[in-house]
Amino acid sequence: MAETRDASADATAMVPVQEAHGPSTAQTYVVDTGVFVRWFLAQDGYEHAREIQKRFVLDEIALVTTDIARIELAHVLRNKGYVPRLLDRNSYVKAVRAIDDLGVEIRPTDAETLERAADWAVQLSLRFFDALFVDLAVQTGCPLLTSDIRLARAVTGYISTEVLRPS
């Protein structure tokens, strides 16, 4: 059963935007959109995703993502949260800012990144958005935290991954 929650309660109100996260010795994860979605929707793995969010807010870990995650998060939350009325309008509008408001490090997507991601997408038969996260994991040397077991299997031997534990 999906749960409705006020996005501002956990995401936007906890930490000021300008506060940096993750001490230099903290484990850093590249985070894909599926993890961020589970901060707001009770999809499989949501409990683990919310543990990750809590650990990030407590500076126990650091998170980095691609700028495209913000766009993909807004799209997915609209279709899977707002439209089926699992999120109200206010919660949805605030949730699309959560990545920024919590201070997750956001890496820009430039032409070279697009080219590398296209190569990963073709080489490993990945969705293009997934390939952007894979490329970021390769570039940073950080493990990819994902909710997608198929993605984790596809990139075995290329990058380290951690899949959200089932709820």
Side-chain angles (χ1 to χ4, degrees), residues 6-9 11-12 40 89-98 101:
D6 180 5
S8 63
T12 59
F40 302 97
R89 181 179 177 177
N90 187 52
S91 296
Y92 166 68
V93 170
K94 288 182 179 182
V96 302
R97 297 182 47 97
D101 288 349

Side-chain angles (χ1 to χ4, degrees), residues 6-69:
D6 180 5
S8 63
D10 287 337
T12 59
M14 284 198 255
V15 180
V17 175
Q18 59 272 34
E19 184 172 329
H21 282 279
S24 60
T25 58
Q27 171 67 56
T28 301
Y29 292 94
V30 171
V31 182
D32 77 4
T33 306
V35 176
F36 295 127
V37 166
R38 284 155 180 81
W39 287 2
F40 302 97
L41 300 178
Q43 295 179 344
D44 198 30
Y46 79 95
E47 291 169 336
H48 187 191
R50 292 175 189 174
E51 287 174 28
I52 293 294
Q53 180 189 41
K54 181 178 179 182
R55 290 182 61 207
F56 174 68
V57 169
L58 294 173
D59 286 333
E60 295 174 3
I61 58 173
L63 304 178
V64 60
T65 196
T66 176
D67 55 355
I68 301 300

Side-chain angles (χ1 to χ4, degrees), residues 114-155:
L114 291 171
E115 185 175 0
R116 288 190 310 266
D119 192 47
W120 284 114
V122 171
Q123 180 180 350
L124 301 177
S125 298
L126 302 175
R127 289 180 338 119
F128 185 77
F129 288 114
D130 291 339
L132 288 164
F133 296 107
V134 169
D135 182 67
L136 182 56
V138 169
Q139 297 303 312
T140 61
C142 298
L144 172 63
L145 181 61
T146 182
S147 61
D148 187 343
I149 188 71
R150 289 177 294 169
L151 172 59
R153 287 183 185 137
V155 300

